[in-house]
Amino acid sequence: MGACGFHLSLIVVSLGIKFVWGDTDPFFLSHAVGINYGRLADNLPPPSKAVELIKSINAGYVKIYDADSEVLKALANSTLPVVITVANEEVSGIASSTTTSDQWLQTNVLPYYPLTKISIIMVGNEILSHTELQSVWPQLVPAMQNMHASLQKLNLDSSIKVTTSIGMDALSSSYPPSNGSFKQEIAMSVIQPMLSFLSATDSYFFLDVYPFFAWNSDPANISLDYVLFGEITADVVQDGTLSYLI
Ligand SMILES: *[C@@H]1O[C@H](CO)[C@@H](O)[C@H](O)[C@H]1NC(C)=O
Ligand SMILES: *[C@@H]1O[C@H](CO)[C@@H](O)[C@H](O)[C@H]1NC(C)=O
Ligand SMILES: CC(=O)N[C@H]1CO[C@H](CO)[C@@H](O)[C@@H]1O
C-alpha cells in the first residue's frame, strides 16, 4: 500500500443509486462502494499496476474521470464494470448535436468496448457544483439525452447507461438525510428533467457524498454514524479504506 507511493488528493465515496424504485440491482447494491481512480497526483503507479490493485480488492466498479486510452486498455479482459467521464468542456458540444456524441463514442468507447466493460458514461463531473459553468447547466440533460441517442443507434443503450455525477453542494440541505433538498436554482430546471431521463432510461442517480467534511465542520451536532453510513459501516471500512489509497 504505502510502499506503492500512492498520494491521496481527496476522499470521495461515490454512490450509484439505480433510479428505479424497488428494483434491486445486483451490481450497485451489493457493491455500493467502488473505486474512484483519480490521477491528479504525483508519483502515481502505472495504469497496469493500479488496475491490478483495484482488481485485487474486489472493487464493485471503477470510475475514471476521463476516458484515458492507457487506463481503458489496462482494464481490458475483466468483468469489472467501468465508469468513464465526458470532460466538462465537452458537454456543450454534445448537447448541441448528436454528431458530436456519435464522435465521442467512436473515439472513447468503441475502440475499447466490449473488451473493457464500459458500463456507465458520466456526462460531466459535478457540473452543477461549478458556478462558473452555470451557462452549461441547462445543457446538461440535453447532452445526456444526445449521448443516450447515440448509444441507441449503436444498440448499446441497454449495456451502457448515461448519467452524471452530482456533488453534495447540489443540495441546499443534506443533514439530517431525511431533510435533504436540492438547491432551488437547479431543482426544477435541471434535476427534475434529469430524474425523468434517468428513470426513462433505467439509469443511475450518481451522488458524490462527502459526509466526512460535514462531520468535520460540526462534530458536536452531526453523528459519526452519518459519516460511516450507519449499518453499512463494515462494508465501507472494508472497501473504503482501500479506496482512499487510490
Ligand atoms: C486483453 O486481451 C487482448 C486479446 O487477447 C490482448 O491483446 C490484450 O493485451 C489484453 N489486455 C489486457 C490488459 O489483459
Ligand atoms: C432542514 O432544511 C432546511 C432548509 O432546506 C433548514 O432551514 C432546516 O434547518 C433543516 N432542518 C434541520 C433539522 O436541519
Ligand atoms: C444547530 C445545533 O444543534 N447546534 C448545536 C451544536 O452543538 C453545540 C455544542 O453542543 C450547541 O451549542 C449548538 O446549539
Side-chain angles (χ1 to χ4, degrees), residues 48 51 55 72-78 115:
S48 56
V51 166
K55 286 181 185 166
L72 288 175
K73 279 185 204 153
L75 285 163
N77 311 326
S78 163
L115 277 187

Side-chain angles (χ1 to χ4, degrees), residues 185-196:
E185 61 266 37
I186 53 170
M188 299 311 284
S189 58
V190 185
I191 298 291
Q192 195 194 47
M194 187 187 295
L195 296 181
S196 300

